[in-house]
């Protein structure tokens, strides 16, 4: 059974959701908010995404080989705690 509830979203969060819709990632703002919450829940539960699998395999490359591949700057992964753990495990 699906329960629905009305919430008020404004400001930066609403703009972000509208941007996702404008890029075609979701069909409407409600779907965007629900989809992003589902992604956040999966990250918190520790489920590994295909992106994380790719990151893990690329991190198998030794740091002294990175320059040969043209990697000159530290990667930026935002505030994703699951990705941060992958990188910390590498150190």
């Amino acid at each position: 059974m699906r329960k629905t509830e009305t919430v008020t979203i404004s400001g930066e969060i609403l703009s972000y959701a509208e941007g996702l819709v404008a890029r075609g990632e979701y069909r409407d703002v409600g779907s965007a908010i629900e989809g992003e919450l589902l992604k956040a829940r999966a990250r918190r539960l520790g489920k590994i995404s295909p992106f994380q699998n790719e990151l893990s395999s690329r991190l198998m490359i030794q740091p002294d080989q990175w320059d040969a591949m043209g990697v000159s700057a530290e990667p930026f992964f935002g505030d994703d705690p699951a990705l941060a753990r992958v990188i910390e495990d590498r150190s």
Side-chain angles (χ1 to χ4, degrees):
M1 184 164 107
R2 185 174 172 105
K3 179 182 175 183
T4 60
E5 185 173 328
T6 301
V7 296
T8 301
I9 304 291
S10 61
E12 187 178 336
I13 300 300
L14 180 58
S15 295
Y16 177 72
E18 290 171 337
L20 293 172
V21 173
R23 287 193 302 271
E25 294 185 41
Y26 295 96
R27 68 179 182 276
D28 56 46
V29 170
S31 297
I33 292 169
E34 183 176 359
E36 293 301 301
L37 283 172
L38 289 171
K39 287 180 189 178
R41 181 177 67 178
R43 281 193 302 268
R44 286 200 171 140
L45 293 175
K47 295 180 181 175
I48 303 298
S49 71
F51 176 74
Q52 287 172 292
N53 287 331
E54 180 66 19
L55 175 63
S56 296
S57 65
R58 289 182 184 207
L59 286 173
M60 297 302 290
I61 299 168
Q62 296 303 313
D64 64 338
Q65 297 173 345
W66 288 7
D67 287 338
M69 295 177 52
V71 178
S72 60
E74 287 294 317
F76 174 74
F77 298 107
D79 59 355
D80 187 329
L83 292 176
R85 281 194 302 275
V86 169
I87 293 169
E88 286 174 15
D89 291 345
R90 172 82 167 102
S91 314

